[in-house]
Amino acid sequence: MVSPLTLKLLRDLRGRLGSLAALVLIGALGVASFGGFDSVYRDLEAARNRFYADYRLADFSISLKRAPERVLSELARLEPVVAVEGRVRIPARLELTGVDEPVQATAISLPSPPRPVFNDVFLVKGSWFEDSSGRQALVNDAFARAHKLRPGDRFRAVIMGEQHELVVAGTVMAPEFVYVLPPAGGIVPDPSRTAVIFLPHRALQQWADLDGACNEILGRVHDPRKAPLKATLSLLEDKLDPYGVMISIPMSEAPSVQFLENELQELQRSATILPVICLAVVAFVLHVVLGRIVASQRTFIGTVRALGYSRWQVMGHYLGYALAVGMATVVVGLSFGSWIQGAMVGLYRNFYELPGLTPHPYPQVMLKSALAGVLAPLLGTLREAWTASSLAPASAMRPPPPERGGRVFLEWLIPGIWKHFPFSIKLILRAVLRNPYRSLVTFATTFVATALMVESLCMLRAVDAMIAHEFSISSRQDVSVGLREPAGRGLLQELVSLPQVARVEPQLAVSCTLSNGPYEKRVGVTGMTAGHVLYRPVDSRGEEVPLPEEGLVLSRKLAEVLHVQPGDRVRLRPLIGRRQVVEAPVAALADTYVGLAAYARLEYLSRLLGEEWVANSVLLSTYHRDPGPSLLQELNRRPYVLGAERRVRALTLLQDTIGRNLGVFFGILVLFTGGLAFGGVLNTALVSLAEREREIGTFRVLGYTKTEIMGIFAGESYLVNTLGVLFGIWGGVVFTRSVVDLYSTELFRLPELIEPHVLMRSGLLMMGFISLAMLVVYGVLARTRWLEVFKTRE
Amino acid sequence: MKQSLLEVKNVSKIYQMGEVQVPALQDADLEVREGEFLVILGPSGSGKSTLLNLLGGMDRPSGGNIRFQDQDLTRASDSQLTSFRRHNVGFVFQFFNLVPTLTALENVQVATQIARQPMDPLQALRMVGLENRADHFPSQLSGGEQQRVAIARALASNPRLLLCDEPTGNLDSTTGRAVLRLLWDVNRKLNMTVIIITHSQPVARMGHRAASLRDGRIVSLTENKEPIPPEEIEW
Ligand SMILES: Nc1ncnc2c1ncn2[C@@H]1O[C@H](COP(=O)(O)OP(=O)(O)OP(=O)(O)O)[C@@H](O)[C@H]1O
Ligand SMILES: [Mg+2]
């Protein structure tokens, strides 16, 4: 038989179903994001770690002009080195029948058959090479999927100006190319235009003019920690100096590896922030709700205690509310969480070429999030349940102490003005000020929701602004052309005479190490000629930052990393050419949101390389914003062109992926915040409605209409909530700043964009959600059977 | 013969409780006259409150007909009932039902604010002898004082009809007597129609008429030739 206490609990719960459901939803979001994001994190981390380990990701890579293979055994004998292997890595252009735009590719040799020592590849479809002739190639899986390439399909690769007919042997995933970025910059993968192909070592050696040699060395060290690895790398650089070292990096700094690491960190952050907010709100609101329930059920408590129920039974009864909410929260939250996990892992599978990335159930994660979901409401109500259980039967049977009357401080403060307030205003002000706790809860909920809303909307705008900044304000070329070898002025004449081309501007990008004392960073320094307009360093307001004759302009983040300010000097060492170290003054700072950047005059950079004037890429503007494929084909036919890319494509891609994904993310956040505001406001309003039932009944009897009563009631709610919204906007500004800070990495940042109209819109949206909640409250008020309340004493 | 104010014809009220029907009031016939003092008597559960609520436009009957002068309360809409209460009825409850966060004066203003021809709120408090308590909150008043404030609130809108559901139910006999005296005065001096519910037989003697209810029916309606003021009643 069900105990009468349980029956009462169930009836009480049913009576508050609406507001408790809102609370359960908020809690479920917390549980879901806690468990969901953590599970995604584990899926991604496990798949990554397994892939890196099983496919032997190297500790470092060194690229150079040409190192004879015999050097490798020398290196392997060095004390800190475990093993090394040389391979060939060279840019290629792929041509597929029926695809009019060329594909930028990286061709990589797979040495030491049957499998390379480091950076092995995972075979998704098809088979390994049958021989080392170079008739067959392995292509990365995302590219193959983008073009529906299957084993046996043919394509052409242009390597060092020569065409090679290739057959797809199989499709693969490679640990160093989990996240494949277009070589010509850009921060989102473009699998249909970017490829990685793997070829037999001998064949690629021949095609790349590297017989008996290699141009990239991978290796493993005994101590892969950062500092010793750096030391080893500089030792290796010295040894390899005669062979033209270009870049040596720890594998952890490879773009794909870094991106993945970054994503994992962000997942971890998301698995903390959202759940904490949600569950805190649930605990807080339930704390208030139960406090009111206990206060209104004193007589009931006294009665059952007098009848001989123990205080633990009473305590258990009241904890039952929290337990019910907690259990519903867990059920909804866990299923929603596994949905989040599935959806996000699915999303990642589109972006990442990572074998074994599938959603797995994690019992500990579920247990952990379930525990959080139950504990939050229990902790929130512990004190109330305790209070209930410690009421002595006698005192509980006495009528509740009369509701406190008395003046509020405003009446003492401004008695003259107070006198003239209509009683409804007095009623509202007294209700707010005399129930500071209730008001505080309402205020806090609205405050948090508004702050989140401001943050979401500001971030949405920031994403747009970032894209505009990078792709319209800063760079305005229509086509960018990468050159195989640095070239002189003559080339510009040739390019400008092409059809459609309106303007050409040379650029020289040089990988350099910048350092300031202990702080060191490798970046590409971009050189531009006087009068450049197609690409300009700009500050956050979009103002152009002029380039000095001598010295550098740094991106703000880079300056931060190097601990320098305009006027300071940095040591600059080019990684190609004569590698002469110079002291360069930092002239000014510019703002970029993707990667780190440094800018200089092209002539200045050329001189550092020991040349007078060279460029290694050219920006074109055309008469049409989108020149179409014919110009690109024309460009790609030229042997000195490494690759050409239309900006329209990069921009569309960026807007499509980043824009859409972040848009959806923040869109969901906006809805969620709205829900939070709605649920919070609804709960506190319904509690205070229940508390004031008798008052409302009295008003009804006296002939007040529902609308008039709602006016008084809503007045209180709006007063507190409006304050919550106003302070919340301020809180949101602070919050946005800290989120921008938190998510500011060397790879990616968002502008700190706080616009008055966005703040206004957040405020209005919040007031909308609050009004929606008020509408529901009005519905409840209209349906309340006010006659009934007079039948009981309390 | 005094003019009739309310006419109750064949009225019944049935509460639906799931499957069960509870007949709280059956075949009630009653004519309330302008300016009379009517006492409703009866044991607990006999339907007194149900009848009073119907008279005051707080509820609608399940059958029969109630008229307030030319207004049919039976078919009145929610807002028509609200306006009826606002302009014609004053209510006094057993549990006072003052708004705890308003002072005595402000509680009276709750009524005067929406009335068509209200009294001065302070004047209303003076009538119940509480003008010097105007700034007190309900929690700072005794039960009798709270009930007097409630009466002042009911009077202040100058209603035609003052309805009191066990106004002395929560008061000791001396205080109760004072409250009844107040109602007596209101009836005589303001010529206001007063209907009160009581459990106590002797109180019936202060009314012009007394209606007795039993099991949801009006079992008797007696006329009182000489009503006795409350302080002369023994109980
Ligand atoms: N909302 C309701 N639902 C169901 N039954 C009700 C309801 N209100 C009253 N009743 C029933 O109607 C009958 C009359 O109730 P009413 O309140 O009119 O009695 P009363 O004469 O005022 O009693 P008391 O002197 O105890 O106040 C009772 O049997 C009661 O149980
Ligand atoms: Mg009654």
Side-chain angles (χ1 to χ4, degrees):
Chain A
M1 212 199 100
V2 189
S3 92
L5 279 193
T6 313
L7 271 180
K8 169 184 171 292
L9 175 65
L10 291 177
R11 291 215 180 104
D12 282 359
L13 287 171
R14 200 174 52 196
R16 295 168 186 272
L17 204 59
S19 64
L20 289 182
L23 216 52
V24 165
L25 280 186
I26 297 176
L29 262 162
V31 170
S33 49
F34 188 29
F37 287 135
D38 197 14
S39 301
V40 175
Y41 176 84
R42 284 166 194 243
D43 283 331
L44 191 59
E45 197 197 26
R48 177 193 72 167
N49 291 352
R50 211 174 323 115
F51 196 30
Y52 286 178
D54 293 354
Y55 289 82
R56 303 180 297 280
L57 187 73
D59 287 336
F60 64 83
S61 85
I62 302 173
S63 54
L64 17 67
K65 276 210 136 53
R66 178 195 187 96
E69 274 171 344
R70 62 182 153 75
V71 191
L72 298 172
S73 47
E74 262 173 59
L75 295 183
R77 277 196 296 277
L78 290 173
E79 210 227 309
V81 178
V82 178
V84 293
E85 187 172 44
R87 66 179 188 180
V88 177
R89 175 188 183 130
I90 190 162
R93 200 168 67 235
L94 308 188
E95 289 169 3
L96 277 72
T97 25
V99 179
D100 49 16
E101 243 172 278
V103 175
Q104 314 257 27
T106 304
I108 289 178
S109 74
L110 291 178
S112 52
R115 305 293 280 261
V117 179
F118 299 115
N119 294 13
D120 194 4
V121 295
F122 165 76
L123 196 63
V124 182
K125 264 195 220 149
S127 62
W128 222 246
F129 317 122
E130 279 158 17
D131 52 46
S132 59
S133 65
R135 293 290 136 242
Q136 290 174 305
L138 299 169
V139 300
N140 71 311
D141 193 57
F143 170 70
R145 272 186 290 138
H147 292 289
K148 301 199 168 62
L149 279 182
R150 261 168 310 191
D153 289 348
R154 295 169 179 284
F155 65 97
R156 279 180 308 283
V158 182
I159 295 172
M160 300 279 281
E162 264 178 67
Q163 271 206 4
H164 302 273
E165 285 287 336
L166 292 172
V167 176
V168 177
T171 70
V172 296
M173 294 182 181
E176 64 196 299
F177 293 108
V178 170
Y179 193 74
V180 183
L181 290 176
I187 49 171
V188 277
D190 184 2
S192 66
R193 291 290 177 276
T194 320
V196 184
I197 62 170
F198 298 89
L199 290 158
H201 193 50
R202 290 266 172 283
L204 196 56
Q205 274 180 321
Q206 272 174 18
W207 298 349
D209 264 340
L210 286 169
D211 267 320
C214 62
N215 68 357
E216 189 176 37
I217 297 172
L218 305 177
R220 182 161 295 168
V221 291
H222 287 290
D223 189 349
R225 282 173 308 165
K226 199 171 171 180
L229 182 53
K230 287 256 173 191
T232 309
L233 279 179
S234 56
L235 174 70
L236 291 171
E237 274 186 45
D238 287 346
K239 292 268 174 215
L240 291 167
D241 195 48
Y243 311 112
V245 175
M246 291 197 284
I247 287 177
S248 71
I249 56 165
M251 217 55 192
S252 60
E253 286 179 23
S256 165
V257 177
Q258 242 183 344
F259 242 95
L260 210 51
E261 182 60 33
N262 212 46
E263 187 67 34
L264 281 168
Q265 282 171 13
E266 277 178 26
L267 272 176
Q268 224 165 12
R269 268 179 229 135
S270 308
T272 332
I273 301 174
L274 218 54
V276 167
I277 293 177
C278 291
L279 292 176
V281 167
V282 170
F284 202 36
V285 174
L286 210 55
H287 163 67
V288 180
V289 172
L290 198 69
R292 302 292 156 175
I293 292 178
V294 168
S296 70
Q297 297 187 350
R298 292 168 58 93
T299 327
F300 162 77
I301 297 165
T303 313
V304 294
R305 291 282 280 124
L307 287 173
Y309 281 84
S310 77
R311 53 181 304 178
W312 303 117
Q313 280 172 303
V314 170
M315 181 149 175
H317 175 69
Y318 285 103
L319 283 179
Y321 289 85
L323 205 61
V325 169
M327 286 188 324
T329 298
V330 169
V331 170
V332 180
L334 284 185
S335 20
F336 187 40
S338 77
W339 179 83
I340 288 184
Q341 185 192 6
M344 282 193 69
V345 168
L347 199 72
Y348 281 142
R349 285 163 65 100
N350 282 336
F351 275 108
Y352 295 145
E353 295 182 63
L354 190 52
L357 179 57
T358 44
H360 294 279
Y362 295 100
Q364 325 91 287
V365 175
M366 287 195 218
L367 201 69
K368 208 171 61 178
S369 52
L371 223 58
V374 174
L375 276 183
L378 278 182
L379 285 179
T381 55
L382 209 54
R383 216 186 61 148
E384 280 58 48
W386 178 256
T387 312
S389 77
S390 39
L391 280 176
S395 78
M397 291 292 275
R398 246 175 267 134
E403 212 175 310
R404 265 190 326 124
R407 266 150 251 284
V408 294
F409 75 91
L410 273 181
E411 293 172 63
W412 304 113
L413 202 65
I414 41 165
I417 304 174
W418 179 271
K419 248 197 350 240
H420 298 291
F421 283 162
F423 85 95
S424 55
I425 300 280
K426 290 180 186 168
L427 204 61
I428 290 168
L429 287 174
R430 288 217 187 96
V432 169
L433 296 170
R434 190 120 1 84
N435 298 288
Y437 197 65
R438 181 174 77 197
S439 309
L440 195 70
V441 173
T442 312
F443 173 85
T445 318
T446 314
F447 175 87
V448 170
T450 310
L452 276 173
M453 177 71 77
V454 167
E455 191 258 354
S456 323
L457 291 184
C458 280
M459 292 313 237
L460 266 180
R461 282 283 302 129
V463 172
D464 283 348
M466 182 276 286
I467 292 178
H469 181 97
E470 293 292 313
F471 286 87
S472 319
I473 300 170
S474 192
S475 76
R476 301 187 290 190
Q477 82 281 13
D478 296 308
V479 177
S480 41
V481 181
L483 304 178
R484 194 173 301 284
E485 296 287 338
R489 284 197 181 84
L491 189 72
L492 300 182
Q493 300 305 318
E494 185 178 337
L495 289 178
V496 83
S497 64
L498 285 176
Q500 292 196 63
V501 175
R503 185 183 171 88
V504 296
E505 276 178 20
Q507 276 194 344
L508 174 61
V510 180
S511 271
C512 296
T513 310
L514 298 187
S515 59
N516 169 38
Y519 309 107
E520 189 188 274
K521 202 74 217 170
R522 186 181 18 256
V523 289
V525 181
T526 307
M528 285 159 275
T529 49
H532 62 101
V533 294
L534 294 184
Y535 185 90
R536 320 168 299 157
V538 289
D539 64 17
S540 59
R541 285 163 312 166
E543 303 283 340
E544 178 165 351
V545 180
L547 295 174
E549 291 286 334
E550 303 265 314
L552 301 170
V553 168
L554 303 185
S555 67
R556 201 170 299 280
K557 186 73 184 181
L558 178 58
E560 199 181 288
V561 170
L562 293 174
H563 292 80
V564 292
Q565 288 171 343
D568 294 348
R569 303 177 82 79
V570 290
R571 282 161 54 85
L572 183 154
R573 189 172 82 104
L575 295 175
I576 52 170
R578 292 185 297 147
R579 296 163 186 266
Q580 186 197 2
V581 178
V582 293
E583 291 261 321
V586 177
L589 300 185
D591 285 288
T592 60
Y593 298 113
V594 180
L596 300 176
Y599 309 97
R601 286 294 284 272
L602 183 133
E603 295 80 0
Y604 176 74
L605 265 187
S606 300
R607 257 180 280 132
L608 292 183
L609 298 182
E611 308 266 352
E612 197 203 326
W613 196 106
V614 282
N616 57 11
S617 65
V618 181
L619 305 182
L620 309 182
S621 77
T622 53
Y623 293 113
H624 256 292
R625 206 170 87 86
D626 182 1
S630 65
L631 177 63
L632 291 205
Q633 279 164 353
E634 180 66 36
L635 284 167
N636 276 308
R637 254 201 294 281
R638 284 148 211 271
Y640 54 80
V641 170
L642 189 62
E645 179 159 6
R646 288 180 296 157
R647 188 177 58 109
V648 172
R649 183 171 172 82
L651 183 58
T652 322
L653 198 70
L654 195 72
Q655 277 164 341
D656 273 11
T657 42
I658 292 225
R660 191 179 311 138
N661 282 320
L662 288 183
V664 167
F665 177 72
F666 287 115
I668 288 175
L669 206 56
V670 167
L671 277 183
F672 161 73
T673 13
L676 190 70
F678 178 76
V681 171
L682 187 62
N683 261 289
T684 44
L686 286 180
V687 166
S688 107
L689 190 69
E691 278 175 352
R692 298 167 71 180
E693 239 177 8
R694 190 167 280 267
E695 210 172 300
I696 290 165
T698 308
F699 278 98
R700 288 293 281 147
V701 172
L702 288 174
Y704 277 74
T705 62
K706 288 170 196 158
T707 329
E708 283 166 335
I709 295 173
M710 188 62 197
I712 295 172
F713 199 74
E716 178 192 340
S717 206
Y718 273 114
L719 177 63
V720 178
N721 281 310
T722 307
L723 284 176
V725 168
L726 289 179
F727 279 88
I729 288 177
W730 167 80
V733 170
V734 175
F735 187 41
T736 305
R737 294 215 168 108
S738 53
V739 167
V740 166
D741 258 11
L742 196 68
Y743 282 83
S744 154
T745 62
E746 290 180 16
L747 280 179
F748 189 73
R749 294 167 295 283
L750 282 171
E752 189 183 291
L753 198 65
I754 291 158
E755 298 157 306
H757 70 93
V758 174
L759 299 185
M760 190 108 99
R761 195 172 334 141
S762 318
L764 288 178
L765 259 172
M766 289 307 294
M767 293 314 284
F769 283 116
I770 290 164
S771 302
L772 216 60
M774 284 287 107
L775 224 56
V776 175
V777 172
Y778 180 74
V780 172
L781 185 117
R783 270 183 289 115
T784 301
R785 310 252 296 267
W786 45 274
L787 248 187
E788 317 281 290
V789 306
F790 296 115
K791 296 208 171 137
T792 53
R793 161 94 226 206
E794 191 73 314
Chain B
M1 182 69 209
K2 282 180 183 162
Q3 224 189 325
S4 123
L5 189 67
L6 270 168
E7 252 178 283
V8 176
K9 279 218 181 89
N10 204 18
V11 158
S12 62
K13 177 74 188 178
I14 297 164
Y15 290 108
Q16 190 78 37
M17 297 258 305
E19 300 285 284
V20 210
Q21 295 196 331
V22 183
L25 196 65
Q26 284 173 300
D27 305 326
D29 283 301
L30 181 68
E31 189 196 15
V32 179
R33 300 168 190 159
E34 179 102 63
E36 77 166 323
F37 195 114
L38 176 67
V39 179
I40 300 178
L41 275 169
S44 182
S46 55
K48 304 184 296 293
S49 297
T50 304
L51 176 61
L52 197 75
N53 289 343
L54 290 173
L55 294 177
M58 300 234 280
D59 214 349
R60 265 181 292 253
S62 317
N65 210 298
I66 305 179
R67 297 188 67 81
F68 175 81
Q69 295 184 322
D70 350 302
Q71 197 183 351
D72 185 356
L73 297 186
T74 328
R75 263 175 282 281
S77 71
D78 233 37
S79 62
Q80 282 168 328
L81 281 184
T82 300
S83 138
F84 165 67
R85 290 196 301 272
R86 179 186 283 218
H87 301 301
N88 300 307
V89 187
F91 256 99
V92 176
F93 307 87
Q94 183 180 354
F95 300 118
F96 325 138
N97 286 327
L98 297 179
V99 181
T101 53
L102 294 181
T103 63
L105 184 67
E106 289 158 0
N107 260 290
V108 177
Q109 286 171 339
V110 169
T112 57
Q113 196 116 79
I114 54 168
R116 218 179 271 145
Q117 286 171 315
M119 287 183 200
D120 170 28
L122 209 56
Q123 169 67 25
L125 278 182
R126 198 168 297 131
M127 283 183 59
V128 300
L130 285 177
E131 70 268 39
N132 56 343
R133 294 279 191 280
D135 283 341
H136 287 224
F137 285 91
S139 60
Q140 300 163 328
L141 295 171
S142 74
E145 286 169 337
Q146 289 187 50
Q147 193 60 302
R148 275 146 71 195
V149 173
I151 293 172
R153 180 176 63 187
L155 295 177
S157 58
N158 266 326
R160 309 278 295 275
L161 195 59
L162 184 64
L163 304 177
C164 315
D165 195 340
E166 297 184 46
T168 58
N170 251 345
L171 304 173
D172 65 61
S173 63
T174 326
T175 320
R177 234 184 267 267
V179 166
L180 289 177
R181 175 77 212 186
L182 190 56
L183 295 173
W184 171 281
D185 288 345
V186 166
N187 176 247
R188 308 281 140 140
K189 294 189 183 145
L190 301 180
N191 198 26
M192 198 177 282
T193 312
V194 175
I195 306 178
I196 73 167
I197 290 179
T198 177
H199 270 126
S200 118
Q201 195 71 41
V203 172
R205 297 173 57 198
M206 66 180 281
H208 295 113
R209 293 193 299 164
S212 284
L213 271 77
R214 192 172 302 269
D215 295 333
R217 291 176 192 278
I218 302 178
V219 289
S220 73
L221 190 61
T222 53
E223 198 107 10
N224 224 346
K225 290 274 146 45
E226 275 179 58
I228 309 174
E231 45 284 6
E232 288 166 32
I233 297 174
E234 311 241 342
W235 83 80

